Every structure is written in C-alpha cells, then in structure tokens.
Amino acid sequence: MIPMRLSSCSFISNSPIILRPPRTTATRTLNLPLDRRRHISAYGYTQAKALVYPKHGSPADVLNLHTHSLSPPHSNLVTLRTLAAPLNPADINQIQGTYPTAPPFSQELGTAQPSAVPGNEACFQVLAAGSACKTVSKGDWVIPTRTGLGTWRTHLQVTEDRLMKINKYGLDAEQAATISVNPVTAYRMLKDFTPLKEGDWFIQNGANSGVGRAAVQFGKMWGLKSICVVRKREGAEGEALHKELQELGATVVVNDEEIMDKGFGERVKEWTNGAREPLNLALNCVGGDAGMALAKTLGAGGTMVTYGAMSKSPLRVGAGMLIFKDLRFTGFWVSKWADRFPEEKKKTIDEVLGLIRDGKLRDVPMVEVPWSYETKKEELLDAVQGTLDGFRKGKGVFKFSDT
C-alpha cells in the first residue's frame, strides 16, 4: 500500500505497547497451540472479534469492535487465527476514504449496518481447512495474496485462493506479517525500472521508512551506493538515525533541508566521483519540491519512481528535465503490481524471507500492540490514533495472543 497522507516516525499511546528493536537474525518460530478452547464453542463455531467501520471517516469516530461467530469451514473455505497485523498509514487512508481501493462493505459478520474490516497485511495460522482445500492445512502460516482482506481481527474465514502459504521456519509472525508491502516495494523499484550495476548510485527520500530501510539493505547486498534523505532531527536523535542508516548500508545520509540547498548538486557530484559514477535512479515517497530536489540530482536519462506522496503536493516537472536531460517520471503501486504478477510476487516474497532467515535483512523497528480476547476497544483505537498522529518509535503491529 502507498502511504499518501500520513507520516511514519514515532507515536505515544496510552495502550500497553512493547517496543521491539530490529533483529539481526530471525531465530524464533512462533508455536501457538491450535486447540485453545476459549474461542471454540461446543458446536465448533469460532468466536471472533474484529474492528469494523460502517462508513468512511476519522477512525476514532467510525471504528467499532464487533464480536461474531465463524462456522466450521467446508469446501474451499479456511478458518484462520491472526498472529500479527501491522497498522499501515494506507490502512488509515482506507478508513478515511482517501485511498484508491478499500475493502467492501457487507453484513457477512452480522453487523447491524454493512461494514468493512480495515487492514491489508497480516500473518495467519490455519485453524481448519475445508475438504476441498489442496494447498493449506491445519497449522500452516499464510499471508493474503491481495490487499483488502481486512486483517484487523482475531479470526476470519476466507477461500483458499486468497491465501499464500509461507515457510514459517526461522520467522517471527511480525516478520511474515510485514513482508508483502515495504520490502517487496523496495526490491521491485531497484530491480524493475532502470538497469543498475555494482558501483552505481541511487537516491531516495523517506529513507527511515520501511521501504527506505529495505532499499538501503538491498542496495548494499547488490553493491549499489545510496544517498539517503531523512527528515531533519536535532542533536543526538539525528546523529543516531544517520549512524543507524549507515550501519544498514547507506553510503551518504543527509536531511531534507540539506537537499534543498543550492549547492547540493555540487556535493552529489563530489560523492559520485565528478559524476563519473552513474546516479540514474531516484525513489520518491514525499512529492512536491522535495521530490523534485531528488530529480535534479539525476544524470541524463535517469528515472524517478514515485511510490508515495507524503507532502500531498504535486510534482512540478520543468520542461528542461524532459527535453535536455531526458528524465523519466513514473510510479509504482505494489498492490497493482502484485495483482498483475502474482507468481512474481510469490518469488520475491520467498527470496526476501530467505534473506531474513539468513540474517541479511533486518526488520524495521516495531511497536507491538497486544490484542487478546479481553482487549478493549479503547486500547485498540489508541494504537490506531498513534498511526494517524505519526511520530512513533517504529511500525505499529497488532500482536495477537490468547484469542
């Protein structure tokens, strides 16, 4: 999903949250019993809870916590228990009604009004599968094949074709739940838009985001050099962030004020050995003047890929960039790409998960938001509000237990 309106730095919530630092290796596999009885009735019905909204609007105004039951699965239906589900800015955009796609409104869950369930990414554990299911079975871990599934809920039941089985060995549920958007976006943008060889450069803003951190690490693995732009932070906080990104593999880290300086182009020329080392790719998630500042650094024939618009400002492309520098301006939406190329998506996810298992790709910092059967609506809405407000210490992730 493409965050269009919200920032992704740090948040403070009244909910009980656990700040989880990024792991350098993935050594734990989440083994949760499948025979819990608190959510299974005497007739085999699964008791579930979901955040739902009957209309678009501010999350605090429209979200409700709805309790319902799921019948035992038959045919190609699969009953799932959610293990982890991130809170992405694009999820909030969908609730607000400002995102290009949104989950459908229906009364399938027995709500008083047609309602939708927010959330697009998650990792699920299969509780039971219908007799016609061929690719998944009890105990498997799965992720959605497409966005719009509605993942902010304890349990759900869907058809088998909406699920992708993953090898859970060596993974945390949070890692699996956050794999299909940010890392895949970074991977495809570096691979698909302009040929890059070892020693080439790329430049990106939003370098502290999930996409940005993944791009830095992929670039290092593939021998690429990077100029990484982050929002200015004062004092020790800014120094720590610059150091962290450099440790991940960034060649140069600058803030968003530096890139707007008139002399920034000369600094880029110095870093790139007098422009003899190609800088032909820019990754833009901000837009506006900040996005155009990236484009100005590109060499002739370079490409800028826009995958977000955090500033909510348009890109004003000068004719000279098109005529004399022959720059290309294009966009990337991972959801649309995945719908067009489902097999390629699976291959990319499998490769990225392998890098995580091998300790070559580090997680983005995460803020775990516990969700149990007893969790109150207010606690969940606090976490959602934190995503809406921005300024959090890491990506918010619902962590489900005792559901």
Side-chain angles (χ1 to χ4, degrees):
M1 310 297 292
I2 310 169
M4 297 180 66
R5 301 173 68 89
L6 304 177
S7 177
S8 60
C9 295
S10 63
F11 91 146
I12 298 176
S13 169
N14 294 323
S15 302
I17 59 176
I18 303 169
L19 179 61
R20 195 194 80 173
R23 293 176 174 83
T24 55
T25 58
T27 58
R28 294 190 295 122
T29 297
L30 190 61
N31 295 309
L32 296 170
L34 296 177
D35 59 351
R36 296 180 188 269
R37 288 291 172 248
R38 74 174 303 146
H39 62 267
I40 303 293
S41 74
Y43 300 99
Y45 281 73
T46 300
Q47 305 305 307
K49 291 188 176 183
L51 283 173
V52 300
Y53 58 101
K55 60 182 179 180
H56 295 300
S58 171
D61 296 333
V62 300
L63 283 178
N64 292 295
L65 187 59
H66 174 69
T67 302
H68 58 288
S69 298
L70 301 174
S71 61
H74 60 87
S75 185
N76 65 339
L77 291 176
V78 183
T79 300
L80 306 170
R81 183 163 70 87
T82 314
L83 302 180
L87 297 88
N88 292 315
D91 302 328
I92 308 298
N93 294 152
Q94 288 188 327
I95 297 170
Q96 294 168 326
T98 60
Y99 202 72
T101 62
F105 289 87
S106 76
Q107 291 182 285
E108 290 182 359
L109 303 185
T111 52
Q113 305 175 60
S115 299
V117 180
N120 291 280
E121 285 189 287
C123 175
F124 307 105
Q125 191 173 36
V126 176
L127 289 181
S131 59
C133 292
K134 304 297 184 183
T135 62
V136 299
S137 58
K138 183 177 179 179
D140 287 344
W141 280 17
V142 295
I143 61 176
T145 56
R146 296 190 176 195
T147 57
L149 187 63
T151 60
W152 292 3
R153 44 180 153 181
T154 62
H155 303 80
L156 67 158
Q157 192 172 87
V158 297
T159 54
E160 181 185 25
D161 63 324
R162 301 188 70 182
L163 304 171
M164 179 188 302
K165 179 180 175 180
I166 62 170
N167 179 0
K168 63 185 177 182
Y169 173 76
L171 297 175
D172 289 332
E174 301 96 316
Q175 293 169 324
T178 56
I179 192 66
S180 61
V181 174
N182 291 337
V184 172
T185 295
Y187 187 105
R188 299 315 327 174
M189 289 194 300
L190 290 174
K191 286 287 190 181
D192 294 348
F193 289 91
T194 192
L196 297 175
K197 63 182 184 301
E198 187 172 347
D200 286 354
W201 290 76
F202 69 94
I203 186 169
Q204 64 169 340
N205 52 29
N208 187 38
S209 67
V211 173
R213 287 168 174 263
V216 165
Q217 295 177 79
F218 289 140
K220 182 180 180 181
M221 293 178 208
W222 302 334
L224 306 177
K225 300 176 183 179
S226 57
I227 301 171
C228 294
V229 184
V230 297
R231 188 167 47 187
K232 184 177 182 181
R233 294 163 173 80
E234 300 294 341
E237 182 185 5
E239 294 175 5
L241 177 58
H242 284 223
K243 181 179 179 182
E244 182 182 1
L245 292 175
Q246 287 170 339
E247 289 175 349
L248 287 178
T251 310
V252 178
V253 182
V254 296
N255 66 52
D256 55 354
E257 292 184 6
E258 291 178 86
I259 195 173
M260 302 303 293
D261 291 342
K262 290 183 178 180
F264 187 74
E266 289 301 313
R267 296 175 65 187
V268 171
K269 188 175 181 180
E270 180 181 344
W271 295 327
T272 58
N273 190 23
R276 286 185 287 273
E277 297 174 4
L279 171 54
N280 287 330
L281 180 65
L283 309 180
N284 168 47
C285 67
V286 177
D289 293 340
M292 293 313 301
L294 292 188
K296 290 177 182 178
T297 68
L298 291 172
T303 299
M304 184 163 83
V305 184
T306 293
Y307 66 99
M310 303 296 290
S311 71
K312 297 180 285 184
S313 298
L315 295 170
R316 297 179 174 87
V317 181
M321 290 186 172
L322 302 175
I323 299 171
F324 305 117
K325 293 190 72 175
D326 192 26
L327 298 186
R328 270 74 169 173
F329 292 84
T330 188
F332 183 71
W333 185 16
V334 70
S335 300
K336 185 176 181 180
W337 172 85
D339 289 347
R340 290 183 61 193
F341 305 105
E343 290 302 318
E344 195 65 26
K345 174 186 176 180
K346 187 178 188 308
K347 290 179 183 178
T348 304
I349 287 176
D350 287 343
E351 182 174 344
V352 174
L353 287 177
L355 295 173
I356 293 174
R357 291 188 190 93
D358 294 340
K360 296 179 180 179
L361 184 67
R362 294 177 58 183
D363 306 353
V364 64
M366 298 183 193
V367 177
E368 295 178 355
V369 182
W371 185 340
S372 71
Y373 197 81
E374 304 302 326
T375 301
K376 305 299 182 185
K377 166 188 169 181
E378 292 73 21
E379 298 174 30
L380 301 176
L381 292 190
D382 276 348
V384 175
Q385 186 64 38
T387 302
L388 183 64
D389 292 341
F391 292 100
R392 60 173 181 254
K393 295 294 184 182
K395 175 181 282 294
V397 179
F398 287 127
K399 181 70 177 294
F400 295 80
S401 64
D402 198 23
T403 57

